[in-house]
Amino acid sequence: MNGLPARRVAGFGTTIFTEMSALALQHGAVNLGQGFPDFAGPAFVKEAAAAAIAADLNQYAPMPGTPRLRRAVAAQWEHDYGRTIDWQSEVSVTSGATEALCDVALALLDPGDRAIVFEPAYDAYVPDITMAGATPLPVQLHPPTQSQANWWFDADELRAAFEQRPKLIFLNTPHNPTGKVYTRAELELVAGLCQEFGVIAICDEVYDRLVYGNAVHLPLATLPGMWERTLTLNSVGKTFSVTGWKIGWAVGPAWLNTTLRQAHQWVTFATATPLQEAAGAAIEQAAGNGYYAGLQSEYTERYTLLRGILEGVGLPTLPVEGSYFISADISALGYHDDRAFCRWLTTELGVAAIPTSAFYMNPAAAPPFARFCFAKKLETLQAAGERLQRLRR
Ligand code: PMP
Ligand code: GLN
């Protein structure tokens, strides 16, 4: 028996999130690594799921998703961005944004095709592209400088990537791991290049409700000329603090939904019916019950607390405009190997974090930063803060 794995997966290690969560568990560390809330999702959302199960909505959902969730997503988009969405042809439900990302790669990329990713890049993008046999084209997001208040990219470097004739660009805003929210000017630049070079945009907007201060989330799809060539991905995990539900969706023109469904029908066919119903109910109710404003203010408090803790122990933090992650510059304490630092922090100090280099194709090119997740109870953050005091010595 030839038990060798297929070439498309042979080079994959274990995901950094799995690795660091296992290490955190093993050492009893406070886990600020893998991004997930340690607090409960809202009662109105959990009750909707229990009610859907009790109502026997427990058989296969329609392949493109339940009407209730697709209608809710369409209505929300219409409300937020003023565009009428045909829920039947322009929304598709997937098993989290993760499945949608994989479907997109399988359904749109052929061997030999190229796809742009901004680096640091959420860890699934490059494997999805390579599993489709295509080649990732990384474009660097550079850390903030004296003249650049946040992570930024060089317009010439981006144009050079477009000149390599990619088929797709993956864009994540608010961005994991940096917390960057792309500005209108940056999105206009991307939009102009997509149209000039005939490129399709895949926008991962799973943190769209987690935006702080003056930052404003703007979907690329709403810019002139972009609807027809953009698929926008989202999910309930972060917005409703239920990352285990894995209910996601894609919004975009009918042709891109049709294409995505070509892969989706063979990857999962359909995803959990009662959780789709509950996700629909959650979106319907959140529109009118003040949930999003509450979420934002709670997250602002968590972010402010963790930033203060990190700064207080001598770890300078980078600005955060969105997401539930904050990065700290470990070189200030004399550390340069972020992977070794995060392992040491987990095993010796009892606080888990994620090395930024895990989000780079060439880890050696990464800046020396560690990513901390603040989707945690205030007491969890305080407990981490107590352990981190040892860094001061
Ligand atoms: N994209 C980004 C940027 C993420 O941080 C995550 C979080 N896991 C995902 C996609 C995956 O989302 P989901 O849990 O809905 O599959
Ligand atoms: N998105 C989460 C993070 O960035 C992790 C998701 C996962 O474990 N696959 O931490």
Side-chain angles (χ1 to χ4, degrees), residues 17 34-35 122 176 207 238 325 371:
F17 308 121
Q34 188 180 22
Y122 179 60
N176 177 5
Y207 299 101
K238 337 285 170 186
F325 304 111
R371 187 198 80 172

Side-chain angles (χ1 to χ4, degrees), residues 183-195 218 220 223-224:
T183 63
R184 179 179 287 276
E186 288 171 329
L187 294 173
E188 280 171 355
L189 211 145
V190 172
L193 289 166
C194 284
Q195 289 171 65
L218 183 66
L220 183 67
L223 267 55

Side-chain angles (χ1 to χ4, degrees), residues 323-379:
S323 83
Y324 48 46
F325 304 111
I326 182 167
S327 292
D329 183 349
I330 63 170
S331 68
L333 290 177
Y335 296 93
H336 295 284
D337 179 340
D338 63 346
R339 210 170 250 272
F341 174 82
C342 289
R343 291 189 69 88
W344 172 80
L345 202 70
T346 307
T347 58
E348 301 303 317
L349 264 73
V351 178
I354 299 292
T356 300
S357 60
F359 301 92
Y360 285 79
M361 290 173 67
N362 172 15
F369 299 155
R371 187 198 80 172
F372 294 84
C373 173
F374 55 87
K376 304 294 164 189
K377 296 176 193 148
L378 297 178
E379 58 259 40

Side-chain angles (χ1 to χ4, degrees), residues 56-187:
D56 284 322
L57 296 170
N58 297 313
Q59 306 308 330
Y60 293 128
M63 182 274 281
T66 64
R68 184 171 187 182
L69 176 53
R70 285 189 287 152
R71 282 199 168 101
V73 168
Q76 183 178 48
W77 190 282
E78 205 163 312
H79 173 270
D80 291 348
Y81 306 121
R83 181 191 184 92
T84 307
I85 303 290
D86 174 14
W87 67 268
Q88 301 204 64
S89 65
E90 296 181 326
V91 182
S92 305
V93 178
T94 56
S95 287
T98 304
E99 189 216 315
L101 287 162
C102 183
D103 292 346
V104 156
L106 293 178
L108 284 164
L109 294 173
D110 276 315
D113 284 343
R114 300 188 173 101
I116 296 178
V117 296
F118 286 99
E119 248 187 1
Y122 179 60
D123 74 333
Y125 301 168
V126 167
D128 284 339
I129 294 165
T130 57
M131 280 195 290
T135 305
L137 289 176
V139 172
Q140 299 307 305
L141 287 175
H142 303 286
T145 61
Q146 296 264 316
S147 59
Q148 297 278 357
N150 215 310
W151 291 74
W152 57 284
F153 61 84
D154 183 303
D156 292 335
E157 288 174 13
L158 184 62
R159 170 169 281 277
F162 273 89
E163 279 167 354
Q164 294 192 56
R165 297 281 164 189
K167 185 164 184 195
L168 304 183
I169 180 168
F170 287 81
L171 190 143
N172 169 216
T173 185
H175 185 260
N176 177 5
T178 67
K180 171 185 176 64
V181 173
Y182 283 71
T183 63
R184 179 179 287 276
E186 288 171 329
L187 294 173

